[in-house]
């Protein structure tokens, strides 16, 4: 079936139906993977540690982790970075990460709380956003010790 002009496809857990766009519940939501170690292999066991991407001499200024992604920011009001990382054995620096809006040369969200843990640790930070249009964003991280070689897991940006 086809809806008419101005209708949205909605569902409350049952079959989808055409209706008023304002009748749905919840804000728009998307999750963007900015940096990861994902390799898709069918029928493999889940890794015991998702922190597998090694950084070399991370430095005390932010370095890009992963690839830049173009995101259309219209209608989003909140951003959250979620990243996992750990120090390799013998490392002592405090690691922090943030999501940078390269288009406008500003920090969109972050930095995350710092950690010196040698266990893969999830860190998050949340911020209000009021951006429109397309933005080039990426995850970037640093350590308080220039020669640290931390190990990273996924870095994601959640927009609501």
């Amino acid at each position: 079936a086809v809806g008419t002009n101005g209708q949205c496809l909605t569902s409350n857990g049952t079959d989808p139906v055409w209706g008023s766009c304002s009748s749905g519940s919840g804000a728009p939501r998307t999750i963007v993977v900015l940096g990861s170690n994902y390799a898709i292999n069918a029928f493999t066991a889940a890794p015991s540690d998702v922190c597998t991407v090694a950084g070399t001499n991370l430095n005390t200024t932010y370095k890009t982790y992963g690839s830049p992604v173009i995101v259309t920011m219209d209608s989003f009001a909140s951003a959250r970075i979620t990243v996992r990382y750990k120090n390799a054995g013998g490392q002592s620096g405090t690691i922090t990460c943030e999501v940078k809006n390269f288009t406008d040369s500003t920090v969109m969200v972050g930095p995350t709380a710092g950690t010196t843990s040698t266990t893969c640790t999830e860190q998050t930070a949340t911020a209000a956003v009021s951006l429109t249009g397309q933005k080039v964003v990426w995850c970037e991280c640093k350590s308080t010790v220039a020669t640290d070689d931390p190990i990273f897991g996924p870095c994601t940006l959640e927009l609501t």
Side-chain angles (χ1 to χ4, degrees), residues 2-147:
V2 177
T4 60
N5 189 23
Q7 285 188 314
C8 291
L9 195 57
T10 62
S11 174
N12 62 358
T14 60
D15 292 334
V17 295
W18 289 101
S20 169
C21 294
S22 62
S23 67
S25 62
R29 179 173 181 243
T30 190
I31 297 177
V32 181
V33 177
L34 300 175
S36 74
N37 56 342
Y38 294 125
I40 306 302
N41 293 312
F43 306 109
T44 59
S48 59
D49 186 347
V50 297
C51 290
T52 60
V53 179
T56 303
N57 294 334
L58 186 57
N59 213 330
T60 56
T61 57
Y62 283 104
K63 288 174 111 175
T64 303
Y65 168 51
S67 299
V69 175
I70 299 171
V71 178
T72 301
M73 296 299 301
D74 301 336
S75 77
F76 295 113
S78 178
R80 179 171 71 173
I81 179 179
T82 301
V83 63
R84 293 176 186 247
Y85 45 76
K86 66 180 179 181
N87 269 326
Q91 307 294 305
S92 60
T94 301
I95 307 163
T96 56
C97 297
E98 63 188 19
V99 173
K100 177 94 178 256
N101 169 1
F102 179 74
T103 305
D104 300 331
S105 298
T106 59
V107 174
M108 182 184 294
V109 60
T112 56
T115 187
T116 58
S117 176
T118 56
T119 301
C120 188
T121 304
E122 179 176 288
Q123 300 290 327
T124 64
T126 304
V129 293
S130 60
L131 301 170
T132 58
Q134 292 186 328
K135 305 297 179 188
V136 176
V137 299
W138 63 54
C139 184
E140 57 184 20
C141 303
K142 70 177 182 176
S143 178
T144 56
V145 175
T147 56

